[in-house]
Amino acid sequence: MTGTDGGQVGEASGSAWSPLRRRVFRDLWLAQFTSNVGSWMQTVGAQWLLVGHGAAQVSLVQLAASLPMLFLALPAGVLADLVDRRRLLLVMQAAMALVATALTVLAFTGRLGSWTLLALTFLLGCGNALNGPAWQAVQPSLVPRAELRQAAALGAVNMNLARAVGPALGGVLVATLGVGWTFAVNAASFLAILAVLATWRPGAEAGAPRPGQEREHLLAALRAGGRYVRSAPRIRRILLRSALFVPGACALWALLPISAQQSLGLGAAGYGLLLGAVGLGAVAGAAALPALSRQVGGDGALALAGTVFAGALVALAVGPSVPVALLALVAAGAAWITALSTLNAALQVALPAWVRARGSAFYLLVFQGGNALGSLVWGQVAQHAGVSVAMALAAAVLLGGVLSLRRLPLLGGRADPTLSEAWPEPRLAVEPAPQDGPVLVTVTYLVREGKAPAFVTAMRKVEASRRRTGAVAWGLYRDTARPERYVETFTVTSWSEHCAQHHGRYTGADHAFETDARTLLTRDPSVTHAMTVRH
């Protein structure tokens, strides 16, 4: 939706829970919840196992789980756009189940040292990194566009409810049966999501090759994803807002186990109670999110979330009592889900299908990278200056991000990622082979008198469109003999890549930008295609 600040993040429609009425979304949501509960139970067991080793090593659990995203997110995004996403998800979930089983066996046999635990946590993080972009990319296909915001909010509710239930159950298991049982339950939890994925039959995915077009190769697809993000101001701004929120907010997740033990004097069950308060806040935040977003828009929601989360961190830093901590964590849960849902919905509304997983990979790279590096930094600060100081500094970072919203808001304007077939087919005497190229496309325009400045301005958006969809070079030239005559040139690496511009990448927004420029012409432009001459 477009709020009062112009931040367009998808029109909220219906209730906060409306996506759960759709069977496939509901089944996958419940299966993911089961798996997330198991993951959080394991996290509690792992962190509690390392509490005696100090704050720095406890924070390494978050680092080990998040660091793989820095190296694998982009390749995973390419894979998810090129291969069957359902099969990729099945393989990754099965691999993570095997790693979790190995962790369980080592724990029960008494062979699980701290560094082995961190290494296996890192492997699970690798599975999550390879799984993440594909999972993000399938979500918009499960609900109508009008429900994307609620679907994004329910995804965050899923994680935060699991963050509440999982640690609570994990604390009980640690206190009664031992750490090993948290790992065992996590290994078993993968069976739920594997069962749903095995029976799910998605429809045909966007991006299948068309006539004259080959399926992208890995390196070419990676470069295409990078070009798209570089030429998409809306996506870049979403990534920036994530980078300004996550590193400060992650201090809560990295340091809460230490705060629970040292400042509040709680055991494993008490730590689970604290995370239960986060889950309660998440549910409340999700229920209020549609109405909130209609009232204040995307930027208002981000500003409110950052301010409330910073206040919760300050409360934990200066008021170490259980009642204060519980209230602060309820507020933090609501703020966390508001920020993540706003950013995620804005991303999914803006990304076209052909690059959805790669765009999501960049988002996950920023999110998990900020989480990993932030956890490391706050762990070190807490080790040397104390948990309270670390949380206070993290609050200051969050407030700095809130203040930056005035100059760096989410971008409004057009966001129509649906495919368009409005680009006319090229007229050719000879059909090139898919691998032939590079291709030089030349478009000649005759601009109406007095409209040259407006035409040049409109063509800036056309340039971004060409680059997003595959152009590696672009130029706009004015004829010195006929000032009304402009020539646009752009180069694409192959004929297959140019066919992809026509069929699989040209969206409604791209067509709107081109239409704006063409309204300033005296007649339709002429187009030529030239191929590199091979000697």
Side-chain angles (χ1 to χ4, degrees):
M1 66 171 286
T2 303
T4 55
D5 51 25
Q8 184 174 345
V9 292
E11 184 67 38
S13 173
S15 75
W17 319 109
S18 55
L20 291 175
R21 300 191 189 107
R22 306 183 186 279
R23 184 184 60 80
V24 175
F25 181 89
R26 182 176 64 251
D27 290 348
L28 286 172
W29 191 91
L30 291 171
Q32 187 186 27
F33 176 72
T34 302
S35 182
N36 285 339
V37 168
S39 297
W40 279 109
M41 291 177 71
Q42 175 178 296
T43 298
V44 168
Q47 288 181 324
W48 209 254
L49 200 62
L50 296 178
V51 161
H53 297 265
Q57 196 160 49
V58 171
S59 69
L60 289 179
V61 174
Q62 289 277 8
L63 178 65
S66 303
L67 191 60
M69 194 64 71
L70 295 177
F71 307 104
L72 297 177
L74 299 184
V78 171
L79 276 177
D81 275 332
L82 299 185
V83 305
D84 185 291
R85 290 169 183 161
R86 171 182 166 274
R87 292 182 181 178
L88 179 61
L89 290 170
L90 277 168
V91 169
M92 289 302 104
Q93 292 293 324
M96 287 189 285
L98 290 176
V99 174
T101 300
L103 191 60
T104 302
V105 171
L106 290 174
F108 278 122
T109 57
R111 298 177 182 177
L112 187 60
S114 60
W115 291 109
T116 303
L117 170 61
L118 290 171
L120 291 173
T121 301
F122 179 82
L123 287 179
L124 286 172
C126 291
N128 275 319
L130 292 169
N131 179 83
W135 190 265
Q136 288 275 101
V138 301
Q139 298 301 307
S141 66
L142 304 178
V143 298
R145 181 178 171 86
E147 294 180 1
L148 279 177
R149 176 185 286 278
Q150 293 96 310
L154 286 170
V157 166
N158 192 311
M159 177 62 72
N160 283 282
L161 275 178
R163 194 191 297 271
V165 175
L169 294 176
V172 172
L173 282 182
V174 169
T176 58
L177 300 176
V179 168
W181 283 98
T182 63
F183 303 146
V185 171
N186 182 49
S189 71
F190 286 102
L191 297 177
I193 202 164
L194 282 169
V196 174
L197 288 172
T199 57
W200 176 41
R201 294 293 180 266
E205 294 185 2
R210 299 282 293 272
Q213 181 185 349
E214 291 182 315
R215 186 171 290 277
E216 293 177 280
H217 299 292
L218 286 175
L219 289 179
L222 183 60
R223 288 193 294 268
R227 280 197 306 269
Y228 181 88
V229 171
R230 286 196 302 273
S231 301
R234 185 190 309 276
I235 304 300
R236 294 202 311 270
R237 188 59 59 84
I238 293 168
L239 299 181
L240 176 62
R241 295 314 322 172
S242 180
L244 291 172
F245 178 78
V246 173
C250 75
L252 181 66
W253 318 125
L255 300 177
L256 192 58
I258 302 298
S259 179
Q261 185 192 55
Q262 294 181 0
S263 301
L264 301 174
L266 298 175
Y271 173 52
L273 177 65
L274 294 182
L275 288 177
V278 177
L280 178 63
V283 173
L289 185 59
L292 175 67
S293 63
R294 284 192 292 268
Q295 291 295 319
V296 301
D299 289 336
L302 288 178
L304 182 62
T307 302
V308 170
F309 207 106
L313 287 175
V314 170
L316 290 170
V318 302
S321 71
V322 173
V324 169
L326 290 173
L327 290 174
L329 290 171
V330 169
W336 176 261
I337 200 172
T338 297
L340 265 60
S341 299
T342 299
L343 293 171
N344 201 345
L347 183 77
Q348 297 302 339
V349 164
L351 284 172
W354 73 271
V355 75
R356 183 173 290 142
R358 279 166 281 184
S360 296
F362 278 95
Y363 175 77
L364 291 172
L365 177 64
V366 172
F367 182 89
Q368 295 287 12
N371 188 44
L373 298 177
S375 296
L376 180 63
V377 168
W378 301 126
Q380 293 298 321
V381 172
Q383 184 80 5
H384 295 92
V387 173
S388 294
V389 172
M391 286 190 172
L393 290 175
V397 170
L398 281 169
L399 290 176
V402 171
L403 293 175
S404 72
L405 274 164
R406 182 175 293 274
R407 288 186 173 273
L408 300 168
L410 289 173
L411 297 179
R414 290 181 178 137
D416 180 6
T418 56
L419 291 182
S420 172
E421 295 290 344
W423 196 347
E425 291 289 337
R427 297 178 181 178
L428 306 171
V430 178
E431 182 73 26
Q435 66 273 16
D436 287 348
V439 182
L440 174 65
V441 183
T442 304
V443 188
T444 303
Y445 303 93
L446 294 179
V447 180
R448 287 191 280 123
E449 185 177 356
K451 298 298 183 180
F455 175 76
V456 172
T457 299
M459 288 300 290
R460 292 188 186 128
K461 293 183 178 179
V462 173
E463 175 192 1
S465 169
R466 305 289 197 223
R467 292 186 183 277
R468 279 195 300 272
T469 56
V472 295
W474 185 90
L476 183 65
Y477 305 88
R478 190 176 193 181
D479 191 333
T480 56
R482 297 180 60 189
E484 77 279 9
R485 184 173 181 267
Y486 284 78
V487 178
E488 175 198 12
T489 67
F490 61 95
T491 304
V492 189
T493 56
S494 69
W495 183 248
S496 175
E497 190 85 354
H498 183 56
C499 288
Q501 283 188 303
H502 280 266
H503 297 301
R505 301 179 183 176
Y506 190 66
T507 67
D510 297 319
H511 181 62
F513 295 144
E514 197 165 349
T515 299
D516 287 347
R518 292 190 178 202
T519 59
L520 305 172
L521 306 180
T522 59
R523 65 186 187 192
D524 289 341
S526 61
V527 184
T528 62
H529 298 79
M531 309 291 294
T532 298
V533 177
R534 302 296 183 187
H535 296 287

